[in-house]
mmCIF file of all heavy atoms in Angstrom:
data_model
loop_
_atom_site.group_PDB
_atom_site.id
_atom_site.type_symbol
_atom_site.label_atom_id
_atom_site.label_comp_id
_atom_site.label_asym_id
_atom_site.label_seq_id
_atom_site.Cartn_x
_atom_site.Cartn_y
_atom_site.Cartn_z
ATOM 1 N N LYS F 483 2.386 -20.813 -55.971
ATOM 2 C CA LYS F 483 1.290 -21.084 -56.921
ATOM 3 C C LYS F 483 -0.058 -20.613 -56.380
ATOM 4 O O LYS F 483 -0.372 -20.837 -55.211
ATOM 5 C CB LYS F 483 1.222 -22.590 -57.197
ATOM 6 C CG LYS F 483 1.772 -22.935 -58.543
ATOM 7 C CD LYS F 483 1.351 -24.335 -58.931
ATOM 8 C CE LYS F 483 2.015 -24.647 -60.260
ATOM 9 N NZ LYS F 483 2.247 -26.045 -60.396
ATOM 10 N N GLY F 484 -0.830 -19.964 -57.212
ATOM 11 C CA GLY F 484 -2.197 -19.564 -56.850
ATOM 12 C C GLY F 484 -2.278 -18.404 -55.867
ATOM 13 O O GLY F 484 -3.337 -18.157 -55.288
ATOM 14 N N SER F 485 -1.125 -17.701 -55.639
ATOM 15 C CA SER F 485 -1.147 -16.629 -54.622
ATOM 16 C C SER F 485 -1.299 -15.246 -55.254
ATOM 17 O O SER F 485 -0.970 -14.237 -54.644
ATOM 18 C CB SER F 485 0.134 -16.689 -53.796
ATOM 19 O OG SER F 485 1.228 -16.328 -54.622
ATOM 20 N N GLU F 486 -1.773 -15.197 -56.506
ATOM 21 C CA GLU F 486 -1.878 -13.913 -57.203
ATOM 22 C C GLU F 486 -2.800 -12.956 -56.432
ATOM 23 O O GLU F 486 -3.789 -13.386 -55.841
ATOM 24 C CB GLU F 486 -2.437 -14.111 -58.628
ATOM 25 C CG GLU F 486 -1.484 -14.772 -59.596
ATOM 26 C CD GLU F 486 -1.447 -16.297 -59.485
ATOM 27 O OE1 GLU F 486 -2.158 -16.867 -58.599
ATOM 28 O OE2 GLU F 486 -0.710 -16.940 -60.246
ATOM 29 N N PHE F 487 -2.444 -11.698 -56.465
ATOM 30 C CA PHE F 487 -3.312 -10.679 -55.853
ATOM 31 C C PHE F 487 -3.137 -9.373 -56.631
ATOM 32 O O PHE F 487 -2.164 -9.212 -57.362
ATOM 33 C CB PHE F 487 -3.002 -10.502 -54.354
ATOM 34 C CG PHE F 487 -1.609 -10.002 -54.069
ATOM 35 C CD1 PHE F 487 -1.381 -8.663 -53.760
ATOM 36 C CD2 PHE F 487 -0.508 -10.853 -54.114
ATOM 37 C CE1 PHE F 487 -0.090 -8.201 -53.495
ATOM 38 C CE2 PHE F 487 0.782 -10.398 -53.852
ATOM 39 C CZ PHE F 487 0.986 -9.069 -53.550
ATOM 40 N N ILE F 488 -4.062 -8.467 -56.436
ATOM 41 C CA ILE F 488 -4.040 -7.216 -57.194
ATOM 42 C C ILE F 488 -3.668 -6.059 -56.262
ATOM 43 O O ILE F 488 -4.205 -5.960 -55.146
ATOM 44 C CB ILE F 488 -5.447 -6.918 -57.801
ATOM 45 C CG1 ILE F 488 -5.931 -8.077 -58.675
ATOM 46 C CG2 ILE F 488 -5.466 -5.581 -58.553
ATOM 47 C CD1 ILE F 488 -5.237 -8.221 -60.003
ATOM 48 N N LEU F 489 -2.726 -5.199 -56.731
ATOM 49 C CA LEU F 489 -2.434 -3.961 -55.994
ATOM 50 C C LEU F 489 -2.858 -2.807 -56.893
ATOM 51 O O LEU F 489 -2.329 -2.661 -58.002
ATOM 52 C CB LEU F 489 -0.940 -3.853 -55.685
ATOM 53 C CG LEU F 489 -0.389 -4.646 -54.519
ATOM 54 C CD1 LEU F 489 1.119 -4.421 -54.378
ATOM 55 C CD2 LEU F 489 -1.065 -4.270 -53.199
ATOM 56 N N GLU F 490 -3.812 -2.030 -56.430
ATOM 57 C CA GLU F 490 -4.248 -0.896 -57.247
ATOM 58 C C GLU F 490 -3.201 0.198 -57.189
ATOM 59 O O GLU F 490 -2.602 0.452 -56.144
ATOM 60 C CB GLU F 490 -5.583 -0.383 -56.732
ATOM 61 C CG GLU F 490 -6.668 -1.409 -56.987
ATOM 62 C CD GLU F 490 -8.048 -0.916 -56.658
ATOM 63 O OE1 GLU F 490 -8.165 0.185 -56.100
ATOM 64 O OE2 GLU F 490 -8.997 -1.648 -56.962
ATOM 65 N N THR F 491 -2.971 0.833 -58.313
ATOM 66 C CA THR F 491 -1.954 1.882 -58.363
ATOM 67 C C THR F 491 -2.181 2.780 -59.575
ATOM 68 O O THR F 491 -2.853 2.377 -60.527
ATOM 69 C CB THR F 491 -0.528 1.275 -58.410
ATOM 70 O OG1 THR F 491 0.419 2.314 -58.321
ATOM 71 C CG2 THR F 491 -0.266 0.495 -59.681
ATOM 72 N N ASP F 492 -1.588 3.982 -59.521
ATOM 73 C CA ASP F 492 -1.691 4.885 -60.675
ATOM 74 C C ASP F 492 -0.390 4.918 -61.467
ATOM 75 O O ASP F 492 -0.315 5.515 -62.526
ATOM 76 C CB ASP F 492 -1.980 6.316 -60.197
ATOM 77 C CG ASP F 492 -3.157 6.335 -59.257
ATOM 78 O OD1 ASP F 492 -4.236 5.896 -59.675
ATOM 79 O OD2 ASP F 492 -2.982 6.743 -58.089
ATOM 80 N N MET F 493 0.645 4.324 -60.876
ATOM 81 C CA MET F 493 1.946 4.394 -61.548
ATOM 82 C C MET F 493 2.808 3.193 -61.143
ATOM 83 O O MET F 493 2.734 2.755 -59.984
ATOM 84 C CB MET F 493 2.633 5.688 -61.104
ATOM 85 C CG MET F 493 3.795 6.077 -61.958
ATOM 86 S SD MET F 493 4.381 7.711 -61.474
ATOM 87 C CE MET F 493 5.176 8.194 -62.966
ATOM 88 N N VAL F 494 3.602 2.680 -62.061
ATOM 89 C CA VAL F 494 4.561 1.610 -61.746
ATOM 90 C C VAL F 494 5.946 2.069 -62.206
ATOM 91 O O VAL F 494 6.128 2.492 -63.348
ATOM 92 C CB VAL F 494 4.183 0.277 -62.433
ATOM 93 C CG1 VAL F 494 5.242 -0.783 -62.162
ATOM 94 C CG2 VAL F 494 2.829 -0.220 -61.945
ATOM 95 N N LEU F 495 6.899 2.008 -61.276
ATOM 96 C CA LEU F 495 8.286 2.415 -61.587
ATOM 97 C C LEU F 495 9.201 1.213 -61.358
ATOM 98 O O LEU F 495 9.526 0.908 -60.215
ATOM 99 C CB LEU F 495 8.749 3.540 -60.655
ATOM 100 C CG LEU F 495 8.029 4.877 -60.658
ATOM 101 C CD1 LEU F 495 8.634 5.802 -59.610
ATOM 102 C CD2 LEU F 495 8.165 5.520 -62.021
ATOM 103 N N PRO F 496 9.626 0.494 -62.397
ATOM 104 C CA PRO F 496 10.575 -0.599 -62.158
ATOM 105 C C PRO F 496 11.978 -0.050 -61.916
ATOM 106 O O PRO F 496 12.426 0.848 -62.637
ATOM 107 C CB PRO F 496 10.530 -1.419 -63.453
ATOM 108 C CG PRO F 496 9.574 -0.732 -64.348
ATOM 109 C CD PRO F 496 9.255 0.605 -63.799
ATOM 110 N N ALA F 497 12.642 -0.557 -60.903
ATOM 111 C CA ALA F 497 14.015 -0.129 -60.586
ATOM 112 C C ALA F 497 14.779 -1.392 -60.228
ATOM 113 O O ALA F 497 15.123 -1.623 -59.074
ATOM 114 C CB ALA F 497 13.973 0.853 -59.424
#
Side-chain angles (χ1 to χ4, degrees):
K483 255 195 183 151
S485 68
E486 289 82 358
F487 63 101
I488 304 287
L489 281 179
E490 292 187 353
T491 186
D492 308 302
M493 195 173 203
V494 176
L495 298 178

